[in-house]
Amino acid sequence: MKASDLAPAYDLVVIGGGPAGLAAAALAARAGLSTVLFDENPGVGGQIYRAIASSPVADRAVLGEDYWVGSDLAVEANASPALIVTGATVWSLDPSRVVGVSIAGQARLIQAGRVIIATGSLERPFPVPGWTLPGVMSAGGAQTLLKAQGLVPGGRTVMAGGGPLLWLLAAQILRAGGKLDAILDTTPRGNWLRALAHLPDFVLSPYFSKGLKLLREVRAKVRVIRIDRLQAVGDDRLREVVFGTGEGERRMPADLLLLHQGVVPNVNLAIAAGVAHAWNERQLCFEPVLDQDFETSVRGIAVAGDGAGIAGGTAAAERGRIAAIAAVRALKPEALVPDVQTVRQRLQRESMGRAFLDWLNRPADSFRQPEGETIVCRCEEVTARQVRDTADLGCEGPNQMKAFLRCGMGPCQGRLCGLTVTELIAAQRGTTPAEVGYYRLRPPVKPITLAELASLPIAEAERKAVER
Amino acid sequence: MAASDYDVAVVGGGLVGAATAWGLAREGCRVVVLDEGDRAVRASRGNFALVWVQSKGLGLPEYAGWTIRSSNAWGGFAQTLKEETGLDVSFQRPGGFHLALSEKELEARASILKRLHNQPGIVDYKTEIMDRAQVAKMLPDIGPEVVGGSFCPLDGHVNSLRLYRTLHTAIKARGVTYLPGRRVENITREGGEFRLATASGEIRAGKVALAAGNANMHLAPMVGLEAPMKPERGQIVVTERLRPFLNHPVVTLRQTDEGTVMIGDSKEESVDPAGLTLGVSATEAERAVRLFPLLANVNVVRTWSAIRVMTQDGFPIYDESETHPGAFTVCCHSGVTLAANHALAIAPMIARGALDTSLVAPFSARRFHVQAAG
Amino acid sequence: MFKRLADAGVAVAITVDGKHVGARSGDTVAAALIAAGIDHCRTTPVTGAPRAPYCLMGVCFECLVTIDGVGSRQGCLAPVRDGMTVETQSGKREAGR
Ligand SMILES: Cc1cc2nc3c(=O)[nH]c(=O)nc-3n(C[C@H](O)[C@H](O)[C@H](O)COP(=O)(O)OP(=O)(O)OC[C@H]3O[C@@H](n4cnc5c(N)ncnc54)[C@H](O)[C@@H]3O)c2cc1C
Ligand code: FES
């Protein structure tokens, strides 16, 4: 598929081919909307069902049934009339729903009747000393290598952090025959107190039994050590992991350190489109402000899936369906759609137990608000000390910070530093992340080449603004 | 007047306000800078960072002299800032180009320069029209469509975001009080001092310097001054960091000391910084690739739009109030180019309490009335 | 650091900095580099520090490499193809490549 093969306009453009996007595209296309789904990865599935159609992991037990259920979504979407384009990066979306997309080095602008942003989540930044060293990788990264390429950690491997995904990945690695030297658990013990109030709900949810089983499975094979300090040490690559609690400090030689402390919505595209966001104190992240159909503050643009606030893969598919039903109702009121109340009820059941998990796994301040020479912005190599000092200079927010220090100005456009910078400013100035706010983002939200940008349609007035 | 909290309140903490505040602090004044918050519209965050001389002054020849004065002072200014803060703003003055992509563009260029330099009373400085071969000697990577350009040896550039940070670091070190999130809503003069009202309280100062960009339009009348403005939007495209390939800044395209390439110079009449039009970015990109084809495959990492601080005739306004003695306006478009003047010439005048008319009389807003009458 | 679980996938021949590397269909460039034990794929344009793929999902931009002569491509999003030439990047990218 080339960019030039796309139609100039579609009823619905879905951005992201994870569970939310696949479910939304399938439903909308079946109901008769001309629908295109773009995903920048080589295959659909999103993070949870990464490489669902091509995974070389033959033994189904390794990734588990919760992975393989994703096949149905992919099959359903492929069988629907929706056009599914992989290797397609969406780099721009404006409030009038013009979608900028790039396929194999060719850029196009597509007009959408409605848009569903289903770009999912990304792992929360984990800024510890040494996290930029080769040999340090996000746990999600290692999981992608396992799902998509059948690669398993082979050397001395340490995992550190917390949250359900860390334990899931540990189990998957072990089942695949990999070895883990240790799991360094960074979740603060005090979290139990906050979480306790939500325990009854959690016990009734499917997470309860699954979670316990997973913990037992992993703990039977790997040493788990509670820590409150962590450092990756090495010259040109990771050599050892240094960690400790209180006074004690230990060192462990390692080839690979896998970091994870939960996931947060991937907000870049929605923010660039002008969608209003708000701080979620329980999940410690920004998320779009949405109505019950997941429509944003910008008319005709919805955010579904984990991008709408973290709720997991199954919930993502239901959210995608609800957003798709709303899109169909808006554009083709006479079309037949599933009963939205039923979908809402399923979604409601899915969210049971999340509050408990969120409070229990809330990462510690010290792992979100680093000190000293720890790198905060990986692209521009800006340190925690610089951010804190500049906050003291009178810098009130991330946009002024960006101007002063270049944090968030590199190619990742703040995805790996945004939350850290906001939280550091809030901590340093004695205010809240909600007050401090987030980076202002502009297209392209993913880099495109100058030639691609140059190839876009230009109106006479726009040319005149430059050529004088 | 001793009762005042500060000798001078500078309204606006952008490049103009910060440079003025620094200069005032060097004169021994107790200075407070009142600024807006993180989401403020700030040309200081969105500018193109040229310290530019060529083409300046058509319509007001004194502006050329004023610009050259700053350009000449810039080296020392940067050096002093470095000594005070340890930060290098990377000021360079290798001479800069304006490039033409057609004979028509080149002719238009030549005719503007001719009119500019034919004005009576203009300082004598060199801007040379070069043909393609001459340009290619200095800019070997130009594309086949470049027919020539104009070159002025006085043109240069800095890292303007670092300048912005450096000025803030320097004012802090000199004891200036910087108050962000304090939009000034009203200014009155009572009992020989100025009272500046903000949502979170009043600030008192003996003098006030208005350096609030386009907002001077509303603030100036409060102290018997005027600042007729005509804000204008500009969009900029920035690439990833590249190895150095461009030795001279071009008015629409320059390589920063960090390696990124900035492409810009669009002009639209608008005050909406959120309204970024892709077609404008596309035009800038298209021209950039025609100027330097080797950039075609380079990644764009950001674009932004910023609102230029623009007076109605494009020239600076420096004024002191007759009705409210001690109130000054410092208002201009080229806050990077003129930073040295604001710090080293304007600030000492404000510290003394009177503008030096031999230097800045032509920049009084009174000129708007003279023109209207004439 | 990593070993291949199953020898699934067809062999795909690519070169990395001129040396032959055995990749598999289904590999991305970043995965192929990791499978081949290549420790870092670039050095940063700011301080020259070595970096390796971090997120493998397109968000961190640590996996930037030159693919078939075009610099700064995200290796974790680019599937390998027979005959592909990959070069690790050092520091700032060279314009024109
Ligand atoms: C690294 C990682 C691993 C995870 N592993 C698991 C797991 O094993 N089990 C589990 O239960 N949960 C897992 N999660 C959580 C899980 O991802 C979510 O609950 C679920 O995938 C949400 O579905 P979604 O459709 O909202 O988003 P996603 O599944 O994230 O899908 C979003 C898709 O959008 C695409 N995309 C993003 N930006 C653009 C753009 N600009 N242009 C084009 N396409 C774009 C992405 O390539 C991606 O394919 C993981 C999360 C992460 C970050
Ligand atoms: S490894 Fe993070 S973008 Fe490729």
PDB file of all heavy atoms in Angstrom, chain A residues 16-20 38-41 46-48 88-90 118-121 123 140 143 147 165 168 263 305-306 312-313 316, ligand 1:
ATOM      1  N   GLY A  16      -4.018   3.551  15.175  1.00  0.00           N
ATOM      2  CA  GLY A  16      -3.550   2.544  16.126  1.00  0.00           C
ATOM      3  C   GLY A  16      -4.287   1.240  15.931  1.00  0.00           C
ATOM      4  O   GLY A  16      -5.516   1.204  15.850  1.00  0.00           O
ATOM      5  N   GLY A  17      -3.515   0.167  15.847  1.00  0.00           N
ATOM      6  CA  GLY A  17      -4.093  -1.148  15.561  1.00  0.00           C
ATOM      7  C   GLY A  17      -3.964  -2.110  16.706  1.00  0.00           C
ATOM      8  O   GLY A  17      -3.757  -3.297  16.510  1.00  0.00           O
ATOM      9  N   GLY A  18      -4.077  -1.610  17.944  1.00  0.00           N
ATOM     10  CA  GLY A  18      -4.187  -2.484  19.106  1.00  0.00           C
ATOM     11  C   GLY A  18      -5.634  -2.902  19.269  1.00  0.00           C
ATOM     12  O   GLY A  18      -6.448  -2.709  18.353  1.00  0.00           O
ATOM     13  N   PRO A  19      -5.992  -3.495  20.416  1.00  0.00           N
ATOM     14  CA  PRO A  19      -7.364  -3.954  20.601  1.00  0.00           C
ATOM     15  C   PRO A  19      -8.409  -2.856  20.377  1.00  0.00           C
ATOM     16  O   PRO A  19      -9.429  -3.118  19.746  1.00  0.00           O
ATOM     17  CB  PRO A  19      -7.387  -4.452  22.050  1.00  0.00           C
ATOM     18  CG  PRO A  19      -6.086  -4.056  22.659  1.00  0.00           C
ATOM     19  CD  PRO A  19      -5.136  -3.830  21.546  1.00  0.00           C
ATOM     20  N   ALA A  20      -8.138  -1.648  20.866  1.00  0.00           N
ATOM     21  CA  ALA A  20      -9.118  -0.571  20.713  1.00  0.00           C
ATOM     22  C   ALA A  20      -9.337  -0.256  19.240  1.00  0.00           C
ATOM     23  O   ALA A  20     -10.478  -0.181  18.764  1.00  0.00           O
ATOM     24  CB  ALA A  20      -8.654   0.675  21.461  1.00  0.00           C
ATOM     25  N   PHE A  38      -4.723   3.031  10.562  1.00  0.00           N
ATOM     26  CA  PHE A  38      -3.273   3.163  10.371  1.00  0.00           C
ATOM     27  C   PHE A  38      -2.542   2.669  11.610  1.00  0.00           C
ATOM     28  O   PHE A  38      -2.910   3.015  12.738  1.00  0.00           O
ATOM     29  CB  PHE A  38      -2.883   4.631  10.166  1.00  0.00           C
ATOM     30  CG  PHE A  38      -3.449   5.252   8.924  1.00  0.00           C
ATOM     31  CD1 PHE A  38      -4.245   6.389   8.989  1.00  0.00           C
ATOM     32  CD2 PHE A  38      -3.182   4.702   7.675  1.00  0.00           C
ATOM     33  CE1 PHE A  38      -4.767   6.977   7.843  1.00  0.00           C
ATOM     34  CE2 PHE A  38      -3.693   5.281   6.516  1.00  0.00           C
ATOM     35  CZ  PHE A  38      -4.495   6.419   6.604  1.00  0.00           C
ATOM     36  N   ASP A  39      -1.503   1.883  11.402  1.00  0.00           N
ATOM     37  CA  ASP A  39      -0.605   1.561  12.526  1.00  0.00           C
ATOM     38  C   ASP A  39       0.820   1.614  12.027  1.00  0.00           C
ATOM     39  O   ASP A  39       1.140   1.122  10.943  1.00  0.00           O
ATOM     40  CB  ASP A  39      -0.903   0.193  13.117  1.00  0.00           C
ATOM     41  CG  ASP A  39      -0.256   0.024  14.487  1.00  0.00           C
ATOM     42  OD1 ASP A  39       1.003   0.096  14.589  1.00  0.00           O
ATOM     43  OD2 ASP A  39      -0.985  -0.156  15.467  1.00  0.00           O
ATOM     44  N   GLU A  40       1.684   2.207  12.819  1.00  0.00           N
ATOM     45  CA  GLU A  40       3.062   2.402  12.360  1.00  0.00           C
ATOM     46  C   GLU A  40       3.899   1.138  12.470  1.00  0.00           C
ATOM     47  O   GLU A  40       4.953   1.025  11.851  1.00  0.00           O
ATOM     48  CB  GLU A  40       3.727   3.531  13.132  1.00  0.00           C
ATOM     49  CG  GLU A  40       3.831   3.258  14.607  1.00  0.00           C
ATOM     50  CD  GLU A  40       4.480   4.396  15.369  1.00  0.00           C
ATOM     51  OE1 GLU A  40       5.198   5.184  14.759  1.00  0.00           O
ATOM     52  OE2 GLU A  40       4.256   4.481  16.575  1.00  0.00           O
ATOM     53  N   ASN A  41       3.443   0.172  13.270  1.00  0.00           N
ATOM     54  CA  ASN A  41       4.210  -1.061  13.402  1.00  0.00           C
ATOM     55  C   ASN A  41       4.021  -1.936  12.165  1.00  0.00           C
ATOM     56  O   ASN A  41       3.091  -1.754  11.402  1.00  0.00           O
ATOM     57  CB  ASN A  41       3.792  -1.790  14.677  1.00  0.00           C
ATOM     58  CG  ASN A  41       4.636  -1.365  15.866  1.00  0.00           C
ATOM     59  OD1 ASN A  41       5.758  -1.801  16.032  1.00  0.00           O
ATOM     60  ND2 ASN A  41       4.092  -0.439  16.661  1.00  0.00           N
ATOM     61  N   GLY A  46      -1.109  -4.144  18.381  1.00  0.00           N
ATOM     62  CA  GLY A  46      -0.768  -3.196  19.440  1.00  0.00           C
ATOM     63  C   GLY A  46       0.245  -3.802  20.388  1.00  0.00           C
ATOM     64  O   GLY A  46       0.939  -4.764  20.039  1.00  0.00           O
ATOM     65  N   GLN A  47       0.331  -3.247  21.580  1.00  0.00           N
ATOM     66  CA  GLN A  47       1.353  -3.739  22.522  1.00  0.00           C
ATOM     67  C   GLN A  47       0.956  -5.109  23.074  1.00  0.00           C
ATOM     68  O   GLN A  47       1.755  -6.027  23.127  1.00  0.00           O
ATOM     69  CB  GLN A  47       1.553  -2.764  23.676  1.00  0.00           C
ATOM     70  CG  GLN A  47       1.862  -1.350  23.271  1.00  0.00           C
ATOM     71  CD  GLN A  47       2.819  -1.224  22.120  1.00  0.00           C
ATOM     72  OE1 GLN A  47       3.635  -2.109  21.844  1.00  0.00           O
ATOM     73  NE2 GLN A  47       2.726  -0.135  21.404  1.00  0.00           N
ATOM     74  N   ILE A  48      -0.301  -5.246  23.486  1.00  0.00           N
ATOM     75  CA  ILE A  48      -0.696  -6.488  24.147  1.00  0.00           C
ATOM     76  C   ILE A  48      -0.680  -7.659  23.170  1.00  0.00           C
ATOM     77  O   ILE A  48      -0.202  -8.738  23.505  1.00  0.00           O
ATOM     78  CB  ILE A  48      -2.061  -6.313  24.855  1.00  0.00           C
ATOM     79  CG1 ILE A  48      -2.523  -7.610  25.491  1.00  0.00           C
ATOM     80  CG2 ILE A  48      -3.134  -5.768  23.939  1.00  0.00           C
ATOM     81  CD1 ILE A  48      -3.636  -7.419  26.501  1.00  0.00           C
ATOM     82  N   ALA A  88       2.290   2.529   8.702  1.00  0.00           N
ATOM     83  CA  ALA A  88       1.747   3.864   8.386  1.00  0.00           C
ATOM     84  C   ALA A  88       1.781   4.713   9.643  1.00  0.00           C
ATOM     85  O   ALA A  88       1.070   4.437  10.600  1.00  0.00           O
ATOM     86  CB  ALA A  88       0.320   3.736   7.868  1.00  0.00           C
ATOM     87  N   THR A  89       2.614   5.736   9.617  1.00  0.00           N
ATOM     88  CA  THR A  89       2.763   6.589  10.797  1.00  0.00           C
ATOM     89  C   THR A  89       1.915   7.845  10.669  1.00  0.00           C
ATOM     90  O   THR A  89       2.055   8.587   9.692  1.00  0.00           O
ATOM     91  CB  THR A  89       4.237   7.001  10.953  1.00  0.00           C
ATOM     92  OG1 THR A  89       5.007   5.819  11.138  1.00  0.00           O
ATOM     93  CG2 THR A  89       4.420   7.905  12.169  1.00  0.00           C
ATOM     94  N   VAL A  90       1.062   8.053  11.649  1.00  0.00           N
ATOM     95  CA  VAL A  90       0.281   9.290  11.669  1.00  0.00           C
ATOM     96  C   VAL A  90       1.106  10.333  12.416  1.00  0.00           C
ATOM     97  O   VAL A  90       1.463  10.132  13.570  1.00  0.00           O
ATOM     98  CB  VAL A  90      -1.083   9.079  12.339  1.00  0.00           C
ATOM     99  CG1 VAL A  90      -1.798  10.416  12.531  1.00  0.00           C
ATOM    100  CG2 VAL A  90      -1.929   8.132  11.496  1.00  0.00           C
ATOM    101  N   ALA A 118      -6.396   5.647  18.813  1.00  0.00           N
ATOM    102  CA  ALA A 118      -6.263   4.419  19.609  1.00  0.00           C
ATOM    103  C   ALA A 118      -4.786   4.088  19.724  1.00  0.00           C
ATOM    104  O   ALA A 118      -4.355   2.968  19.460  1.00  0.00           O
ATOM    105  CB  ALA A 118      -7.042   3.274  18.958  1.00  0.00           C
ATOM    106  N   THR A 119      -4.026   5.098  20.071  1.00  0.00           N
ATOM    107  CA  THR A 119      -2.565   4.935  20.073  1.00  0.00           C
ATOM    108  C   THR A 119      -2.041   4.358  21.381  1.00  0.00           C
ATOM    109  O   THR A 119      -0.834   4.233  21.561  1.00  0.00           O
ATOM    110  CB  THR A 119      -1.856   6.276  19.787  1.00  0.00           C
ATOM    111  OG1 THR A 119      -2.353   7.255  20.699  1.00  0.00           O
ATOM    112  CG2 THR A 119      -2.122   6.735  18.371  1.00  0.00           C
ATOM    113  N   GLY A 120      -2.939   4.007  22.286  1.00  0.00           N
ATOM    114  CA  GLY A 120      -2.548   3.193  23.423  1.00  0.00           C
ATOM    115  C   GLY A 120      -1.677   3.886  24.454  1.00  0.00           C
ATOM    116  O   GLY A 120      -1.737   5.102  24.655  1.00  0.00           O
ATOM    117  N   SER A 121      -0.852   3.060  25.052  1.00  0.00           N
ATOM    118  CA  SER A 121      -0.055   3.551  26.170  1.00  0.00           C
ATOM    119  C   SER A 121       1.415   3.348  25.872  1.00  0.00           C
ATOM    120  O   SER A 121       1.787   2.746  24.870  1.00  0.00           O
ATOM    121  CB  SER A 121      -0.419   2.764  27.429  1.00  0.00           C
ATOM    122  OG  SER A 121      -0.211   1.387  27.204  1.00  0.00           O
ATOM    123  N   GLU A 123       5.284   2.829  28.320  1.00  0.00           N
ATOM    124  CA  GLU A 123       5.728   2.589  29.687  1.00  0.00           C
ATOM    125  C   GLU A 123       6.110   3.912  30.335  1.00  0.00           C
ATOM    126  O   GLU A 123       6.716   4.784  29.709  1.00  0.00           O
ATOM    127  CB  GLU A 123       6.905   1.623  29.684  1.00  0.00           C
ATOM    128  CG  GLU A 123       6.447   0.212  29.324  1.00  0.00           C
ATOM    129  CD  GLU A 123       7.614  -0.727  29.127  1.00  0.00           C
ATOM    130  OE1 GLU A 123       8.200  -0.696  28.017  1.00  0.00           O
ATOM    131  OE2 GLU A 123       7.948  -1.477  30.064  1.00  0.00           O
ATOM    132  N   GLY A 140       8.839  -3.827  28.580  1.00  0.00           N
ATOM    133  CA  GLY A 140       7.948  -3.939  27.427  1.00  0.00           C
ATOM    134  C   GLY A 140       8.730  -4.207  26.153  1.00  0.00           C
ATOM    135  O   GLY A 140       8.280  -4.950  25.286  1.00  0.00           O
ATOM    136  N   GLN A 143       9.545  -7.724  26.043  1.00  0.00           N
ATOM    137  CA  GLN A 143       8.354  -8.517  25.743  1.00  0.00           C
ATOM    138  C   GLN A 143       8.034  -8.476  24.252  1.00  0.00           C
ATOM    139  O   GLN A 143       7.657  -9.478  23.652  1.00  0.00           O
ATOM    140  CB  GLN A 143       7.166  -7.978  26.551  1.00  0.00           C
ATOM    141  CG  GLN A 143       5.998  -8.941  26.548  1.00  0.00           C
ATOM    142  CD  GLN A 143       4.740  -8.296  27.100  1.00  0.00           C
ATOM    143  OE1 GLN A 143       4.487  -7.117  26.894  1.00  0.00           O
ATOM    144  NE2 GLN A 143       3.946  -9.091  27.801  1.00  0.00           N
ATOM    145  N   LYS A 147       7.498 -11.620  21.853  1.00  0.00           N
ATOM    146  CA  LYS A 147       6.274 -11.860  21.081  1.00  0.00           C
ATOM    147  C   LYS A 147       6.549 -11.852  19.583  1.00  0.00           C
ATOM    148  O   LYS A 147       6.065 -12.699  18.846  1.00  0.00           O
ATOM    149  CB  LYS A 147       5.234 -10.773  21.389  1.00  0.00           C
ATOM    150  CG  LYS A 147       4.586 -10.865  22.760  1.00  0.00           C
ATOM    151  CD  LYS A 147       3.701  -9.638  23.002  1.00  0.00           C
ATOM    152  CE  LYS A 147       3.028  -9.685  24.367  1.00  0.00           C
ATOM    153  NZ  LYS A 147       2.382  -8.388  24.702  1.00  0.00           N
ATOM    154  N   LEU A 165       2.428  -5.937  34.623  1.00  0.00           N
ATOM    155  CA  LEU A 165       3.126  -6.340  33.402  1.00  0.00           C
ATOM    156  C   LEU A 165       4.518  -6.888  33.688  1.00  0.00           C
ATOM    157  O   LEU A 165       5.016  -7.747  32.971  1.00  0.00           O
ATOM    158  CB  LEU A 165       3.233  -5.159  32.446  1.00  0.00           C
ATOM    159  CG  LEU A 165       1.947  -4.827  31.722  1.00  0.00           C
ATOM    160  CD1 LEU A 165       2.127  -3.605  30.852  1.00  0.00           C
ATOM    161  CD2 LEU A 165       1.540  -6.025  30.881  1.00  0.00           C
ATOM    162  N   LEU A 168       3.988 -10.420  34.581  1.00  0.00           N
ATOM    163  CA  LEU A 168       3.583 -11.189  33.406  1.00  0.00           C
ATOM    164  C   LEU A 168       4.798 -11.487  32.534  1.00  0.00           C
ATOM    165  O   LEU A 168       5.021 -12.627  32.114  1.00  0.00           O
ATOM    166  CB  LEU A 168       2.532 -10.412  32.604  1.00  0.00           C
ATOM    167  CG  LEU A 168       2.128 -11.034  31.266  1.00  0.00           C
ATOM    168  CD1 LEU A 168       1.513 -12.417  31.478  1.00  0.00           C
ATOM    169  CD2 LEU A 168       1.156 -10.143  30.503  1.00  0.00           C
ATOM    170  N   VAL A 263       2.302   1.589  32.969  1.00  0.00           N
ATOM    171  CA  VAL A 263       2.108   2.241  31.679  1.00  0.00           C
ATOM    172  C   VAL A 263       1.240   3.481  31.853  1.00  0.00           C
ATOM    173  O   VAL A 263       0.470   3.581  32.792  1.00  0.00           O
ATOM    174  CB  VAL A 263       1.481   1.285  30.630  1.00  0.00           C
ATOM    175  CG1 VAL A 263       2.405   0.127  30.339  1.00  0.00           C
ATOM    176  CG2 VAL A 263       0.124   0.776  31.091  1.00  0.00           C
ATOM    177  N   GLY A 305      -9.323   3.070  24.103  1.00  0.00           N
ATOM    178  CA  GLY A 305      -8.225   2.216  24.535  1.00  0.00           C
ATOM    179  C   GLY A 305      -7.439   2.843  25.655  1.00  0.00           C
ATOM    180  O   GLY A 305      -7.897   3.777  26.322  1.00  0.00           O
ATOM    181  N   ASP A 306      -6.230   2.360  25.855  1.00  0.00           N
ATOM    182  CA  ASP A 306      -5.443   2.835  26.987  1.00  0.00           C
ATOM    183  C   ASP A 306      -5.035   4.299  26.858  1.00  0.00           C
ATOM    184  O   ASP A 306      -4.669   4.930  27.846  1.00  0.00           O
ATOM    185  CB  ASP A 306      -4.197   1.957  27.178  1.00  0.00           C
ATOM    186  CG  ASP A 306      -4.467   0.807  28.152  1.00  0.00           C
ATOM    187  OD1 ASP A 306      -5.625   0.699  28.609  1.00  0.00           O
ATOM    188  OD2 ASP A 306      -3.539   0.047  28.459  1.00  0.00           O
ATOM    189  N   GLY A 312      -6.471  -1.485  30.427  1.00  0.00           N
ATOM    190  CA  GLY A 312      -6.163  -2.839  29.978  1.00  0.00           C
ATOM    191  C   GLY A 312      -6.743  -3.184  28.624  1.00  0.00           C
ATOM    192  O   GLY A 312      -7.598  -2.480  28.091  1.00  0.00           O
ATOM    193  N   GLY A 313      -6.254  -4.299  28.086  1.00  0.00           N
ATOM    194  CA  GLY A 313      -6.520  -4.695  26.707  1.00  0.00           C
ATOM    195  C   GLY A 313      -7.970  -5.032  26.423  1.00  0.00           C
ATOM    196  O   GLY A 313      -8.524  -4.633  25.393  1.00  0.00           O
ATOM    197  N   ALA A 316      -9.920  -2.036  26.448  1.00  0.00           N
ATOM    198  CA  ALA A 316      -9.581  -1.228  25.272  1.00  0.00           C
ATOM    199  C   ALA A 316     -10.496  -1.583  24.107  1.00  0.00           C
ATOM    200  O   ALA A 316     -11.028  -0.696  23.423  1.00  0.00           O
ATOM    201  CB  ALA A 316      -8.118  -1.434  24.893  1.00  0.00           C
TER     202      ALA A 316
HETATM  203  C1  LIG D   1       5.302  -2.293  26.168  1.00  0.00           C
HETATM  204  C2  LIG D   1       3.963  -2.731  26.672  1.00  0.00           C
HETATM  205  C3  LIG D   1       3.686  -4.081  26.846  1.00  0.00           C
HETATM  206  C4  LIG D   1       2.445  -4.484  27.295  1.00  0.00           C
HETATM  207  N1  LIG D   1       2.194  -5.815  27.438  1.00  0.00           N
HETATM  208  C5  LIG D   1       0.994  -6.234  27.896  1.00  0.00           C
HETATM  209  C6  LIG D   1       0.716  -7.607  28.065  1.00  0.00           C
HETATM  210  O1  LIG D   1       1.530  -8.476  27.778  1.00  0.00           O
HETATM  211  N2  LIG D   1      -0.470  -7.956  28.569  1.00  0.00           N
HETATM  212  C7  LIG D   1      -1.419  -7.026  28.901  1.00  0.00           C
HETATM  213  O2  LIG D   1      -2.510  -7.415  29.386  1.00  0.00           O
HETATM  214  N3  LIG D   1      -1.203  -5.727  28.714  1.00  0.00           N
HETATM  215  C8  LIG D   1      -0.026  -5.309  28.226  1.00  0.00           C
HETATM  216  N4  LIG D   1       0.204  -3.958  28.079  1.00  0.00           N
HETATM  217  C9  LIG D   1      -0.925  -3.030  28.302  1.00  0.00           C
HETATM  218  C10 LIG D   1      -1.719  -3.067  27.012  1.00  0.00           C
HETATM  219  O3  LIG D   1      -0.867  -2.575  26.014  1.00  0.00           O
HETATM  220  C11 LIG D   1      -2.946  -2.266  26.901  1.00  0.00           C
HETATM  221  O4  LIG D   1      -3.844  -2.509  27.922  1.00  0.00           O
HETATM  222  C12 LIG D   1      -3.635  -2.492  25.544  1.00  0.00           C
HETATM  223  O5  LIG D   1      -2.743  -2.833  24.536  1.00  0.00           O
HETATM  224  C13 LIG D   1      -4.353  -1.249  25.151  1.00  0.00           C
HETATM  225  O6  LIG D   1      -4.818  -1.343  23.823  1.00  0.00           O
HETATM  226  P1  LIG D   1      -4.898  -0.100  22.850  1.00  0.00           P
HETATM  227  O7  LIG D   1      -5.570  -0.561  21.609  1.00  0.00           O
HETATM  228  O8  LIG D   1      -5.472   1.011  23.600  1.00  0.00           O
HETATM  229  O9  LIG D   1      -3.384   0.321  22.533  1.00  0.00           O
HETATM  230  P2  LIG D   1      -2.133  -0.459  21.918  1.00  0.00           P
HETATM  231  O10 LIG D   1      -2.243  -1.886  22.022  1.00  0.00           O
HETATM  232  O11 LIG D   1      -0.954   0.173  22.531  1.00  0.00           O
HETATM  233  O12 LIG D   1      -2.152  -0.095  20.364  1.00  0.00           O
HETATM  234  C14 LIG D   1      -1.829   1.189  19.868  1.00  0.00           C
HETATM  235  C15 LIG D   1      -1.253   1.082  18.477  1.00  0.00           C
HETATM  236  O13 LIG D   1      -1.141   2.376  17.942  1.00  0.00           O
HETATM  237  C16 LIG D   1       0.000   2.474  17.133  1.00  0.00           C
HETATM  238  N5  LIG D   1       0.394   3.866  17.034  1.00  0.00           N
HETATM  239  C17 LIG D   1       0.780   4.702  18.047  1.00  0.00           C
HETATM  240  N6  LIG D   1       1.040   5.937  17.566  1.00  0.00           N
HETATM  241  C18 LIG D   1       0.810   5.885  16.227  1.00  0.00           C
HETATM  242  C19 LIG D   1       0.889   6.859  15.194  1.00  0.00           C
HETATM  243  N7  LIG D   1       1.218   8.139  15.449  1.00  0.00           N
HETATM  244  N8  LIG D   1       0.614   6.475  13.910  1.00  0.00           N
HETATM  245  C20 LIG D   1       0.241   5.177  13.649  1.00  0.00           C
HETATM  246  N9  LIG D   1       0.135   4.233  14.615  1.00  0.00           N
HETATM  247  C21 LIG D   1       0.410   4.577  15.884  1.00  0.00           C
HETATM  248  C22 LIG D   1       0.998   1.609  17.833  1.00  0.00           C
HETATM  249  O14 LIG D   1       1.948   1.120  16.930  1.00  0.00           O
HETATM  250  C23 LIG D   1       0.144   0.479  18.417  1.00  0.00           C
HETATM  251  O15 LIG D   1       0.159  -0.612  17.559  1.00  0.00           O
HETATM  252  C24 LIG D   1       1.454  -3.541  27.618  1.00  0.00           C
HETATM  253  C25 LIG D   1       1.744  -2.175  27.448  1.00  0.00           C
HETATM  254  C26 LIG D   1       2.973  -1.776  26.978  1.00  0.00           C
HETATM  255  C27 LIG D   1       3.251  -0.310  26.784  1.00  0.00           C
END
